[in-house]
Amino acid sequence: MATTAGNLLQRTRCMYFRVRRCRCNKREPGSGCGAINGMNRGLAILGTSEHCIATNPSDMNVAMAALEATVHVRGPKGERSIPLGDFHVLPGNTPQA
């Protein structure tokens, strides 16, 4: 179970996120996204914005979304079920969020 949860909850990122000398709105809000006009092969083609084109590195997310899976979570407010398609947030204007 921990492996599945870890795979689904990986932080969305790209090679620009890891390299401090490159601009990355996710790492440093307002700095720009170097990947948009730079090396972006292998990054997102769906669910992007003008602020970020990073991908979620989880291979399991794609399969589970295609199967219309539901994530069951338990927190301080109790238990709830979230369709996987609604589980991850698109970058929009605030990719750092």
Side-chain angles (χ1 to χ4, degrees):
M1 188 182 300
T3 301
T4 299
N7 191 298
L8 294 175
L9 295 173
Q10 291 182 69
R11 185 171 186 184
T12 301
R13 59 192 183 273
C14 75
M15 64 188 117
Y16 287 77
F17 176 80
R18 296 183 193 105
V19 180
R20 292 272 181 209
R21 70 182 191 288
C22 297
R23 296 175 298 121
C24 175
N25 281 323
K26 190 160 190 62
R27 186 185 63 244
E28 190 177 327
S31 65
C33 177
I36 290 176
N37 294 315
M39 260 180 68
N40 56 24
R41 182 176 180 187
L43 293 176
I45 58 171
L46 301 173
T48 66
S49 77
E50 63 187 61
H51 302 283
C52 185
I53 62 170
T55 55
N56 185 285
S58 171
D59 52 351
M60 193 177 291
N61 278 332
V62 176
M64 293 183 88
L67 295 170
E68 298 181 359
T70 300
V71 178
H72 302 279
V73 297
R74 181 182 306 155
K77 295 181 180 179
E79 295 182 21
R80 58 192 172 123
S81 298
I82 307 166
L84 192 69
D86 297 334
F87 190 66
H88 295 96
V89 179
L90 294 174
N93 293 330
T94 54
Q96 73 279 6

